[in-house]
Amino acid sequence: MSETYDYSDLKDLPKIAEQILSLQSKSAFFIFNGPMGAGKTTLIKELCKQLGAEDLVSSPTYNIVNEYRTMEGKRICHFDFYRIEDKSELYDLGYEEYFYSDSICFVEWPEKVGNLLPSEHIAVNLSVERNRRSVSFEVINNK
Amino acid sequence: MANKSVVILGIESSCDDTSASVIRDGVVLSNVIANQDVHTKYGGVVPELASRAHQQNIVPVVYQALAQAKVKKTDIDAIAFTRGPGLMGSLLVGTSFAKAYAMALNIPLIEVNHMHAHIMALFAKETNEDFTHPSFPFICLTVSGGHTQLVKVSDHLTLEVLGQTIDDAAGEAFDKSAKILGLDYPGGPLIDKHAQNGDPLRFKFTHPKAPDYNYSFSGFKTGILYFIRDEMEKNDQFINENLNDICASIQHTIIGILFKKLNKVVADTNIKEVGLVGGVAANSGLRDALKQQEKIGWKTHIPKFPYCTDNAAMIAITAYYKYLNNEFTNQAISAKARYAI
């Protein structure tokens, strides 16, 4: 089951983010597929805002992972695997400590780490064509 | 006590590079960054990016830093480490090493904020002569792969962040633009190289809006992406035929974005003493642009290149001023991935 939203305006983003967050009961692990410039970081900023993260949400490309806290103190881990060249680097990162903790995970460039992703997760797909952007999302269960 | 010299060992492991440095009374005696040299000497290879690499690097790097400085372990008065911000797995290596070393040698421990340290690189000196540094207060623009900040520095230990990026860092804007052009990652230095022979005014790119003294580069990146895509549809040789002009225009735009807010801070605070630090401070266009401002009365400061990119000397220097101010920490300290100045 996948839902698709088209939007041309950033004003529509909060509504889409709300829909995505409603899937939290299914899984707190969200992956974001889409090319550079598709709006992955922008969407994650909105999700963090709605979760009440007071920290500044910025791109983790350099740091690989940024951590924020929701108002209730829950940890949000924001990953960007753009710079990852080999899956073994994820082991070096201690990724299990992040993936399988009681944290909300947002992952950009998930294709870089392939099958290390948890079998259950929410896939958010972003695409952009001319000025039309669309977001679709679905619950993935590979168990 | 007043006449005794102070020797500090600094450790930096916040992201990709492992580094150790020894300074005596603020003078840098050694600043070793793990690279192929260290490994040729001690065996092994350097993985591109791996927290585990820090574990393999840290002991040889510290030994080399001590050897180059001709300092014995027992000469060290305090050990300093990067507490954050950075990658947790990487920070833990430096933090744990420093704590263990301090405990074994029974010497004080000093924690350092990486972003504070970048600024303190302006106080790096290799001799006691010809030491020029900013006078307080000054404004500092920190630009690197992961950070972009405007900071007001009132003294060695008093800083106030006036603005920062709300999305991508300036270094990331360089690197991702380079990627769009098909240049290797990290492509910032390549853009700089091609820009030297290009026309900076040939192409116009978006200046994204950000509130107050903050920065935004996300829209800029997307602008480049669309521009290149549209031009390549018309002419698939567009990049090849115009690479120098594209790079020069990209560089010109990023510098323009950086200066817009920097100029505003200088005007609003009337502080004309300005520092430029961080890895992107190596960009020749940015350095020239800052130097140009001397014509309108600014006093500008940029650290020597080895102190711009991530390095342990800046950690040790920051710690030196903390040492003088008796700012020590204890064994209960832990690394902090998110750590504001």
Side-chain angles (χ1 to χ4, degrees):
Chain A
M1 178 193 75
S2 129
E3 283 186 66
T4 305
Y5 290 82
D6 287 334
Y7 68 107
S8 51
D9 198 316
L10 283 177
K11 281 195 218 86
D12 303 328
L13 213 54
K15 223 186 168 88
I16 297 168
E18 212 172 287
Q19 293 292 323
I20 294 172
L21 286 177
S22 71
L23 295 171
Q24 255 192 102
S25 55
K26 306 261 202 283
S27 168
F29 197 97
F30 299 81
I31 66 167
F32 296 79
N33 299 305
M36 190 196 292
K40 297 182 292 293
T41 307
T42 307
L43 176 57
I44 291 170
K45 275 174 89 86
E46 177 60 31
L47 294 168
C48 290
K49 190 176 146 198
Q50 293 195 11
L51 287 165
E54 284 172 0
D55 310 78
L56 183 77
V57 176
S58 57
S59 166
T61 300
Y62 190 71
N63 273 341
I64 315 292
V65 52
N66 281 349
E67 295 181 24
Y68 322 115
R69 295 274 166 185
T70 69
M71 256 175 331
E72 297 86 36
K74 199 175 169 84
R75 185 170 73 160
I76 302 171
C77 300
H78 177 191
F79 296 90
D80 185 333
F81 294 138
Y82 181 78
R83 295 201 301 141
I84 298 281
E85 282 173 10
D86 190 283
K87 273 192 280 185
S88 68
E89 291 168 329
L90 227 61
Y91 289 102
D92 293 341
L93 204 70
Y95 80 99
E96 306 98 317
E97 306 293 330
Y98 293 103
F99 283 15
Y100 302 102
S101 61
D102 186 28
S103 307
I104 300 166
C105 290
F106 295 134
V107 178
E108 300 188 44
W109 300 97
E111 63 270 35
K112 296 269 190 170
V113 304
N115 58 11
L116 291 184
L117 299 170
S119 52
E120 259 190 298
H121 58 259
I122 315 289
V124 181
N125 307 303
L126 296 98
S127 66
V128 53
E129 209 163 302
R130 295 292 146 197
N131 290 325
R132 219 183 72 132
R133 293 164 177 273
S134 72
V135 181
S136 71
F137 41 88
E138 57 188 322
V139 180
I140 307 281
N141 190 341
N142 294 325
K143 264 184 191 159
Chain B
M1 184 73 192
N3 293 324
K4 189 192 172 292
S5 70
V6 178
V7 175
I8 292 177
L9 168 66
I11 308 282
E12 152 68 24
S13 70
S14 66
C15 199
D16 295 354
D17 300 319
T18 323
S19 176
S21 165
V22 177
I23 67 168
R24 177 183 281 124
D25 297 329
V27 177
V28 179
L29 302 180
S30 65
N31 184 30
V32 178
I33 297 169
N35 56 26
Q36 217 63 46
D37 286 350
V38 172
H39 284 271
T40 327
K41 235 172 188 165
Y42 294 89
V45 289
V46 188
E48 257 308 294
L49 175 133
S51 310
R52 195 180 292 154
H54 288 297
Q55 295 175 39
Q56 293 161 358
N57 291 338
I58 197 150
V59 172
V61 161
V62 167
Y63 276 40
Q64 197 161 326
L66 290 170
Q68 274 184 22
K70 299 189 175 64
V71 159
K72 295 193 298 286
K73 272 189 290 206
T74 46
D75 296 332
I76 305 170
D77 294 294
I79 180 158
F81 64 96
T82 308
R83 186 185 181 196
L87 186 56
M88 191 46 111
S90 301
L91 291 167
L92 279 173
V93 177
T95 306
S96 311
F97 180 91
K99 282 165 75 171
Y101 217 66
M103 189 181 262
L105 295 171
N106 196 24
I107 53 173
L109 193 59
I110 301 170
E111 59 104 4
V112 173
N113 179 299
H114 183 82
M115 300 307 293
H116 182 186
H118 266 305
I119 295 169
M120 294 305 288
L122 289 165
F123 295 86
K125 55 179 170 178
E126 285 155 1
T127 61
N128 270 316
E129 289 90 54
D130 95 84
F131 176 42
T132 57
H133 59 82
S135 43
F136 301 111
F138 66 93
I139 301 297
C140 194
L141 173 62
T142 309
V143 274
S144 68
H147 305 279
T148 305
Q149 279 188 340
L150 275 167
V151 182
K152 181 184 166 189
V153 188
S154 302
D155 63 50
H156 295 108
L157 304 175
T158 312
L159 301 90
E160 182 193 351
V161 178
L162 303 175
Q164 56 195 319
T165 182
I166 57 168
D167 40 57
D168 299 356
E172 191 178 341
F174 271 108
D175 290 338
K176 289 202 169 159
S177 300
K179 175 85 178 179
I180 294 167
L181 298 177
L183 303 173
D184 288 338
Y185 189 95
L190 292 172
I191 296 221
D192 192 9
K193 198 177 135 221
H194 291 292
Q196 322 257 338
N197 303 310
D199 173 4
L201 302 176
R202 170 95 187 276
F203 303 109
K204 300 266 173 289
F205 299 118
T206 334
H207 272 235
K209 287 190 182 68
D212 309 318
Y213 298 132
N214 293 315
Y215 287 110
S216 167
F217 285 100
S218 174
F220 167 78
K221 172 187 70 188
T222 313
I224 302 280
L225 191 71
Y226 291 172
F227 169 77
I228 293 296
R229 186 198 56 195
D230 293 350
E231 294 297 330
M232 289 297 275
E233 274 177 17
K234 287 184 256 171
N235 167 16
D236 65 6
Q237 290 304 308
F238 179 76
I239 293 179
N240 289 338
E241 289 167 8
N242 300 284
L243 187 59
N244 290 344
D245 289 348
I246 302 170
C247 287
S249 301
I250 287 173
Q251 182 153 312
H252 179 75
T253 309
I254 295 176
I255 293 168
I257 294 169
L258 290 171
F259 267 86
K260 198 172 171 185
K261 296 298 168 80
L262 178 58
N263 287 337
K264 191 166 156 50
V265 167
V266 169
D268 291 354
T269 59
N270 202 26
I271 298 171
K272 291 182 175 160
E273 192 90 22
V274 180
L276 171 69
V277 304
V280 182
N283 179 279
S284 63
L286 187 55
R287 295 172 88 96
D288 291 346
L290 186 71
K291 287 265 172 276
Q292 284 297 318
Q293 298 298 90
E294 303 227 326
K295 288 187 189 153
I296 56 162
W298 291 21
K299 284 191 78 180
T300 68
H301 307 268
I302 307 172
K304 282 189 184 164
F305 183 72
Y307 307 120
C308 287
T309 47
D310 290 353
N311 69 91
M314 67 183 196
I315 304 301
I317 291 155
T318 313
Y320 174 63
Y321 290 100
K322 289 187 130 184
Y323 184 98
L324 297 179
N325 206 37
N326 285 315
E327 288 189 28
F328 301 109
T329 182
N330 60 37
Q331 288 284 336
I333 191 118
S334 57
K336 227 173 151 184
R338 244 5 212 181
Y339 188 14
I341 287 182

